[in-house]
Every structure is written in structure tokens, then in C-alpha cells.
Amino acid sequence: TINNGEPLQLSNGNKENIMFLSLRDVNLQSLPANIFTDYPKLLSLFVSSCNLNRLASSDFKNAQKLKVFHIYGTELTSIANQVFSTCSELESLVIASSPITKIESNAFEGLKALEELILSELPLGNLHPSLFVSLTALLEIQIERCNLTSIGGDIFKSNLKLTKVDLNDNLIESIDD
């Protein structure tokens, strides 16, 4: 775990064996360049309480082995299309407590193994109707405290394995057909 608000400096130590990395309270505006090349066995990445203000698909170059990515308390305002497209083995994705107002329609494209998706405390307001179409392995989704006022009745139609949907603490007035 790297924390305490210090600028992030990853050493050249025994990087090839690191499987878990937590970056909390770091002075970081984007993911470290080549993080998945420098840490080839990295399976779990937790980023929280930092100034991270952008995620790009290039940040996830060589992230095919990543299984868990949790991101909390950042300055992100949107999630771009196909940003996670190289994360084909990602099983758990949590995006929470950030000022994200928009998630592009194909943001989750390529997440073939994703089983758990948590979107929490994001001022989204609405979701694109095809946002979850590519998440065919999805078992559990939580969309909590995201200011949703309605949700399309068929938004989860492609998620045939889905067993849990949690929409708590939203402003939902209707589930549209």
C-alpha cells in the first residue's frame, strides 16, 4: 500500500512478483505509465482518495491479467468508451465516490469475465440503455446513490447470468419498458 499524500514513485525492486497494489492518498492524476508492464503479475489494483482525473484505454495496456480494479474518491468526471477493453480477465470493477456524471455507452466493452460491477455515489442521473450489453458474465450489479430517476426495463436484457440487482438510494420514479 502506498499512501500519505506523497508523490507516487514506484521503485525498481521486486516488481515482477507484486500481485496486489493499493494507491491511497497519493498525488496522482493518472495511472502510472506502464504500471501493468512494470508489474506483470498484478491482479488487484485499488486506487482511492487521490487527484486522478483521467482514465484512458492506454492506461490499461498489458492489463489482461487484472482481476480486480476498485477506484474510489477521485476527480474523474466521466468514463470513456472502451477504456477497459484490454482488461479481458477483470472480474470485479468498483467505481465509487467520484464526480462522474457520464459513463459512455461502450465504456465496459471487452469486459468478458466481469462478474461484479459496483457504481456507487456517482452523480450520474441516468444510464445509457446499452451500457451493460457486453457484460454477459455479470452476476451482480449495484448502482447505489447515483441520482437515477428512471431505469430502462430492458437495460439488463443481455445479462442472462445476473442474480443480484441493487438500485438502493436512488431517485427512481419509474422503470421504463
Side-chain angles (χ1 to χ4, degrees):
T1 300
I2 300 171
N3 59 22
N4 299 329
E6 296 296 320
L8 180 62
Q9 294 183 355
L10 302 176
S11 68
N12 288 328
N14 199 8
K15 293 183 193 179
E16 63 273 0
N17 292 321
I18 301 295
M19 298 172 71
F20 173 94
L21 180 61
S22 175
L23 304 171
R24 184 183 59 201
D25 293 328
V26 293
N27 187 17
L28 158 76
Q29 293 185 336
S30 62
L31 290 181
N34 301 316
I35 189 169
F36 299 104
T37 302
D38 293 345
Y39 295 84
K41 292 186 180 177
L42 191 61
L43 298 177
S44 299
L45 178 60
F46 294 80
V47 179
S48 64
S49 302
C50 64
N51 298 325
L52 188 77
N53 60 24
R54 78 164 198 65
L55 281 180
S57 57
S58 59
D59 294 336
F60 295 95
K61 183 179 175 188
N62 298 315
Q64 296 85 353
K65 294 180 183 177
L66 188 66
K67 300 269 187 200
V68 176
F69 182 53
H70 293 190
I71 185 164
Y72 300 87
T74 69
E75 298 299 319
L76 289 172
T77 58
S78 65
I79 303 292
N81 276 331
Q82 300 180 343
V83 70
F84 305 109
S85 63
T86 59
C87 303
S88 57
E89 296 301 315
L90 194 67
E91 296 172 355
S92 174
L93 176 60
V94 175
I95 304 170
S97 302
S98 298
I100 295 171
T101 56
K102 183 169 186 167
I103 299 177
E104 296 289 341
S105 62
N106 293 322
F108 302 129
E109 187 78 27
L111 296 178
K112 300 172 190 159
L114 194 70
E115 295 178 351
E116 175 190 52
L117 176 61
I118 298 174
L119 305 172
S120 180
E121 297 183 30
L122 309 172
L124 291 170
N126 61 55
L127 301 171
H128 192 279
S130 63
L131 184 60
F132 308 120
V133 168
S134 64
L135 303 179
T136 56
L138 196 63
L139 299 173
E140 176 181 336
I141 187 163
Q142 295 178 33
I143 309 169
E144 302 173 320
R145 295 178 296 282
C146 290
N147 298 330
L148 298 182
T149 56
S150 67
I151 192 158
D154 61 353
I155 196 166
F156 304 118
K157 69 181 176 188
S158 300
N159 312 110
L160 303 178
K161 296 180 180 181
L162 194 60
T163 59
K164 180 181 177 184
V165 177
D166 182 344
L167 301 171
N168 288 333
D169 298 319
N170 280 291
L171 307 171
I172 296 175
E173 297 173 358
S174 66
I175 297 178
D176 304 327
D177 293 331

